[in-house]
Amino acid sequence: MAYLEIKNLRKSFGDNEVLKGIDLTLEKGQVLAIIGASGGGKTTLLRCVNFLTLADEGSITVDGKEIYSAAVKYTDKQLRQNRLQFGLVFQSYNLFPQYNILKNVYLAKNLRLGAQAKELFAKGNPHRPACKKSDWLKKERRQNVEEARALLAKVGLSDKEKAYPCELSGGQCQRAAIARALSLSPAVLCFDEPTSALDPQLTKEVLNVIRDLKAEGRTMIIVTHEMSFARQSADKIVYVEGGVIVEEGTAEMMQNPQTEGLRAFLSQEEENETRTANTGESK
Amino acid sequence: MNFSQVTLQLLQGFGVTCLLFILTLVFSLPLGLLVCAGSRTRFKPLRYLTRAFVWVIRGTPLMLQLFVVFYVPGMVFDAPIFANLSNGRFVAALIAFVINYACYFSEIYRGGIESVSVGQYEASAVLGMSKWQTFLHVVLPQVIKRIVPPIGNEIITLVKDTSLARVIAVFDIIMVAENILSLHALIWPLFYAGVFFLLFNGLVTMLLRFAERKLDYYKI
């Protein structure tokens, strides 16, 4: 059984069927690139995986454990627990503007401590720590801050931990957002067009971070328009059009597309890339 | 009457004005949040009821509302409830002001909350935050930053609106000045009363500026 298994995922908005039965598998440590024209359902697929919208049909399994099935009615709490299997990096970063980068990274983990402490220090819990609850919280909070620092170091933002998002470049914001998505150690990290809002130079620094994460053995899903990145770094590429996976394979698929749809899409993308490259030079 | 006697009397009235002002803020700022929750709830009957209520309160004169709060309970229970209390007139005025300002504040809160982008909610959701945590730690701080200027506007209006309380005979500074006018035939204390409002609003403006500067460490 594969590490991540997505079975027959379907999603409609009113009469508009956006996902028409998506099946996907991914092994641990692999990188999956999802490509396709806008409106094809790529983003909806990613949003369904992260429970930002709930799929109407189908199931999602991670490491042998079913974390979502359309047939099951989940409580808010269960969904909140299960979605932590996935992290998501947004196109528009969505950092919290009122907190510095460091707090952006550790906030979510700190907010989980209250519930954890309540459970841990419940009467009759055999694993109840010997220390006082307030001491435990203090220790955990300090540890979360240290972990956040380590994550910022990993994405190359150690010297910016006190900076607010408004003081950073787009590339720095996106790298901070990646560190934040890693803070809860998700099994699968998802990216929704992480470089679409960035210029080529900043795109490079973000893609480098993603390459580093691949080298570490992170399992990742990336919705992207960066064809060369997909070609170089993805272990698996799927081409989505009209709510179905039209073609899937490795980087070779890009050299030798089997369907008319993918062929047309690739030549269109290539044209766009040369055009951006040309305008970039003329500046 | 000389200047210091007038000042002393006006100050007594101004004490009532200040008390009305501060108590109105203390109660209406949180109540506005509750009204705002009502006008945003998914439970439709409550939502429409709240919005209709806000419409009525914002759509009618505050002076009229003072009369309604003061007289209607007496008409309903066939006994002048507020008039029988020792400071019943003040309480009636306070209730009218709190309701009126809570409705105005609720609309400012609503605008503030709805201006927070969907992305902030989604980022909080994928990080496993509960709805309450998202509101408290992500949304509310951004709302506060956004609403300080419009809330400040309302607060400055409230300082002056307190003078409406005299229509149900609350002894505020304007009422005191009017009394001096009719008893001693002196008009200048009435104008002098305006100076109290002006100075007080100067202080309020300074405090608001301070709050805005404090929140200026980040951009949304």
Side-chain angles (χ1 to χ4, degrees):
Chain A
M1 199 176 192
Y3 188 61
L4 167 69
E5 282 199 21
I6 295 172
K7 276 198 201 125
N8 190 33
L9 221 55
R10 283 171 188 275
K11 179 71 193 177
S12 300
F13 297 102
D15 289 338
N16 182 14
E17 197 178 14
V18 182
L19 296 181
K20 301 171 182 169
I22 299 270
D23 292 284
L24 260 181
T25 61
L26 194 64
E27 295 300 334
K28 193 169 178 153
Q30 281 195 328
V31 175
L32 167 73
I34 303 176
I35 59 171
S38 301
K42 307 185 300 288
T43 295
T44 307
L45 171 59
L46 215 53
R47 290 172 64 84
C48 281
V49 168
N50 283 280
F51 306 162
L52 286 177
T53 43
L54 293 181
D56 303 329
E57 259 180 70
S59 66
I60 302 167
T61 310
V62 175
D63 208 5
K65 187 170 169 270
E66 183 177 86
I67 60 161
Y68 180 79
S69 164
V72 180
K73 192 104 179 88
Y74 294 96
T75 63
D76 263 6
K77 208 176 160 192
Q78 283 169 323
L79 280 179
R80 266 202 292 140
Q81 187 59 42
N82 287 354
R83 80 183 337 153
L84 293 182
Q85 297 287 334
F86 295 95
L88 179 59
V89 175
F90 299 85
Q91 182 180 338
S92 48
Y93 336 127
N94 293 340
L95 291 170
F96 305 131
Q98 69 271 38
Y99 300 128
N100 64 32
I101 296 301
L102 187 66
K103 188 163 184 184
N104 261 280
V105 178
Y106 71 70
L107 176 70
K109 205 161 179 193
N110 268 4
L111 288 179
R112 302 187 68 73
L113 288 177
Q116 282 166 6
K118 206 170 162 191
E119 213 167 284
L120 205 58
F121 286 86
K123 281 199 181 97
N125 179 6
H127 305 295
R128 199 180 150 138
C131 61
K132 276 203 308 212
K133 191 165 157 182
S134 59
D135 289 339
W136 181 84
L137 281 171
K138 226 180 269 169
K139 191 186 92 213
E140 291 291 318
R141 277 195 203 115
R142 220 175 9 236
Q143 198 177 322
N144 288 347
V145 172
E146 284 317 312
E147 282 175 24
R149 283 212 172 92
L151 287 170
L152 284 178
K154 191 185 292 201
V155 298
L157 287 174
S158 285
D159 52 334
K160 296 285 183 195
E161 64 170 58
K162 290 270 186 291
Y164 289 88
C166 61
E167 299 163 348
L168 298 179
S169 75
Q172 289 170 328
C173 281
Q174 194 57 298
R175 285 187 280 147
I178 292 172
R180 183 178 68 173
L182 288 170
S183 67
L184 294 166
S185 333
V188 181
L189 185 57
C190 304
F191 297 81
D192 186 10
E193 304 196 18
T195 60
S196 293
L198 303 175
D199 67 35
Q201 184 54 37
L202 299 180
T203 297
K204 215 164 103 189
E205 64 180 59
V206 170
L207 293 184
N208 281 340
V209 167
I210 300 176
R211 281 194 193 98
D212 289 347
L213 294 176
K214 178 183 157 67
E216 262 177 32
R218 292 257 169 205
T219 313
M220 296 187 279
I221 302 178
I222 304 174
V223 169
T224 186
H225 284 286
E226 295 289 329
M227 290 304 135
S228 53
F229 174 76
R231 227 173 274 136
Q232 290 160 17
S233 299
D235 300 293
K236 186 173 184 176
I237 301 173
V238 299
Y239 171 64
V240 176
E241 187 191 298
V244 290
I245 293 177
V246 176
E247 218 172 308
E248 72 176 278
T250 58
E252 270 167 42
M253 166 181 114
M254 311 273 273
Q255 256 73 54
N256 188 17
Q258 298 298 309
T259 56
E260 190 48 48
L262 179 56
R263 211 170 295 144
F265 172 73
L266 285 174
S267 69
Q268 184 66 45
E269 283 294 317
E270 206 172 301
E271 205 175 287
N272 290 347
E273 262 172 42
T274 27
R275 196 182 306 139
T276 10
N278 287 342
T279 46
E281 273 163 24
S282 66
K283 262 179 199 165
Chain B
M1 274 186 104
N2 62 26
F3 183 74
S4 56
Q5 283 171 318
V6 169
T7 306
L8 217 60
Q9 281 207 14
L10 287 183
L11 269 177
Q12 276 177 9
F14 194 58
V16 175
T17 299
C18 286
L19 196 63
L20 188 57
F21 168 77
I22 288 165
L23 288 178
T24 301
L25 278 189
V26 165
F27 292 113
S28 64
L29 282 169
L31 185 66
L33 211 53
L34 206 67
V35 176
C36 175
S39 67
R40 283 173 48 82
T41 178
R42 252 180 282 176
F43 182 57
K44 274 190 184 168
L46 181 60
R47 188 170 75 210
Y48 291 135
L49 201 71
T50 315
R51 289 191 179 182
F53 183 72
V54 171
W55 170 62
V56 170
I57 296 296
R58 294 204 305 168
T60 56
L62 177 53
M63 193 192 278
L64 212 58
Q65 290 164 20
L66 281 160
F67 285 127
V68 169
V69 171
F70 186 63
Y71 289 113
V72 168
M75 287 154 65
V76 172
F77 299 110
D78 207 22
I81 294 186
F82 288 118
N84 283 349
L85 286 168
S86 61
N87 48 6
R89 289 167 189 276
F90 180 84
V91 173
L94 181 63
I95 291 172
F97 275 106
V98 167
I99 292 173
N100 185 279
Y101 272 80
C103 286
Y104 276 98
F105 288 147
S106 81
E107 284 298 289
I108 294 175
Y109 293 151
R110 193 164 68 88
I113 289 172
E114 285 171 6
S115 73
V116 175
S117 77
V118 185
Q120 294 288 310
Y121 290 94
E122 293 186 339
S124 313
V126 293
L127 288 166
M129 293 187 203
S130 68
K131 284 201 175 114
W132 180 239
Q133 287 173 335
T134 304
F135 181 73
L136 212 60
H137 296 274
V138 177
V139 177
L140 193 60
Q142 297 179 37
V143 170
I144 289 172
K145 180 180 166 80
R146 282 203 171 100
I147 64 176
V148 165
I151 290 278
N153 232 349
E154 288 300 321
I155 290 176
I156 285 171
T157 307
L158 172 62
V159 174
K160 296 169 288 173
D161 271 359
T162 51
S163 62
L164 283 173
R166 79 177 198 292
V167 300
I168 53 171
V170 173
F171 250 86
D172 80 320
I173 184 167
I174 297 285
M175 184 114 176
V176 171
E178 277 180 332
N179 264 17
I180 295 172
L181 171 66
S182 52
L183 288 176
H184 303 276
L186 290 173
I187 187 78
W188 62 266
L190 203 50
F191 305 146
Y192 182 30
V195 176
F196 284 78
F197 284 99
L198 199 59
L199 290 178
F200 192 69
N201 261 336
L203 185 72
V204 170
T205 308
M206 263 167 18
L207 286 174
L208 288 166
R209 284 253 174 82
F210 176 74
E212 271 181 58
R213 263 209 310 278
K214 271 269 163 208
L215 290 167
D216 207 30
Y217 65 93
Y218 73 92
K219 304 263 179 297
I220 292 175

